[in-house]
Amino acid sequence: MSYSLSYMNIPIYKETAEYASAHNELEAYRASFKANMACKTAIADAISSNYSDNRLSSEKALESLREDFGIDRIAFILAVTVRGKDWDERFSDANKSWAKTVDVPADEDGWGKNRNHSFVIDSVHPGLVDLFVSRVRRELAETRTDPPQKESVLAKIQKPIPSSASGSVSREEVL
């Protein structure tokens, strides 16, 4: 399912509405909010349209969303959903723990209601959402590998000094 407007290039706004207002960033806030709402609806539609015969094709569902929203926005909406339903035992403990690691601002309105609650997926069975969250987490793990660790200075100085053909070793070769 492709949307008439791609939200791929709209960054996820990670500040509150009050911050956006104070810093003349309301346009960016509103664009992100609109993209988040569209992503929420698209996730629900993708899960529903890829569920049949008691099976969810989470790969097809993700494939239908990736191009329009990107994996980061999809993960953000799913994290908000799981965090908003932390009481629901149909979400796995692993997915609940993961959702707590995603940066989600506490964006409360004047009445104390969290605006992010608007992004919680309520129209699909939580068990199916949980399956989809697990698939998205696998995708994130596959696409995001930690950069190689730099060798510590201690490890460098504990290495034996390499021998060279001329017998002299430059400082650059040691470090």
Side-chain angles (χ1 to χ4, degrees):
M1 173 183 302
S2 185
Y3 287 78
S4 58
L5 174 64
S6 175
Y7 295 97
M8 182 70 132
N9 296 322
I10 298 173
I12 301 169
Y13 194 83
K14 297 279 184 119
E15 300 293 339
T16 65
E18 287 73 25
Y19 180 92
S21 179
H23 292 87
N24 294 324
E25 297 176 352
L26 276 176
E27 186 175 322
Y29 176 87
R30 288 180 180 136
S32 180
F33 193 92
K34 182 179 178 181
N36 291 343
M37 291 299 289
C39 187
K40 166 194 166 178
T41 302
I43 291 170
D45 291 347
I47 291 172
S48 295
S49 64
N50 288 285
Y51 177 72
S52 65
D53 297 327
N54 292 325
R55 281 185 63 95
L56 173 64
S57 177
S58 55
E59 179 56 40
K60 284 184 182 178
L62 181 55
E63 189 177 306
S64 70
L65 298 165
R66 193 181 291 121
E67 186 177 312
D68 290 326
F69 298 100
I71 193 71
D72 291 329
R73 186 172 309 279
I74 295 165
F76 179 78
I77 297 303
L78 293 172
V80 168
T81 297
V82 173
R83 289 171 73 158
K85 296 183 172 200
D86 192 45
W87 50 268
D88 195 329
E89 295 296 321
R90 293 171 288 191
F91 289 100
S92 70
D93 289 338
N95 286 343
K96 288 179 183 180
S97 294
W98 165 79
K100 290 176 185 171
T101 68
V102 177
D103 183 26
V104 178
D107 189 14
E108 293 185 355
D109 63 17
W111 293 275
K113 182 181 177 204
N114 190 338
R115 289 181 181 97
N116 290 324
H117 189 71
S118 300
F119 310 140
V120 173
I121 301 166
D122 284 325
S123 61
V124 178
H125 191 281
L128 295 175
V129 175
D130 187 62
L131 289 171
F132 189 64
V133 171
S134 296
R135 176 61 190 103
V136 168
R137 287 182 52 223
R138 281 194 306 276
E139 174 86 7
L140 290 170
E142 291 168 5
T143 59
R144 296 197 177 133
T145 57
D146 292 330
Q149 296 294 320
K150 286 186 173 182
E151 187 177 14
S152 73
V153 174
L154 180 61
K156 285 180 181 179
I157 62 173
Q158 289 177 339
K159 279 186 179 177
I161 297 176
S163 62
S164 67
S166 67
S168 65
V169 177
S170 71
R171 183 166 172 26
E172 289 78 26
E173 287 176 324
V174 174
L175 297 175

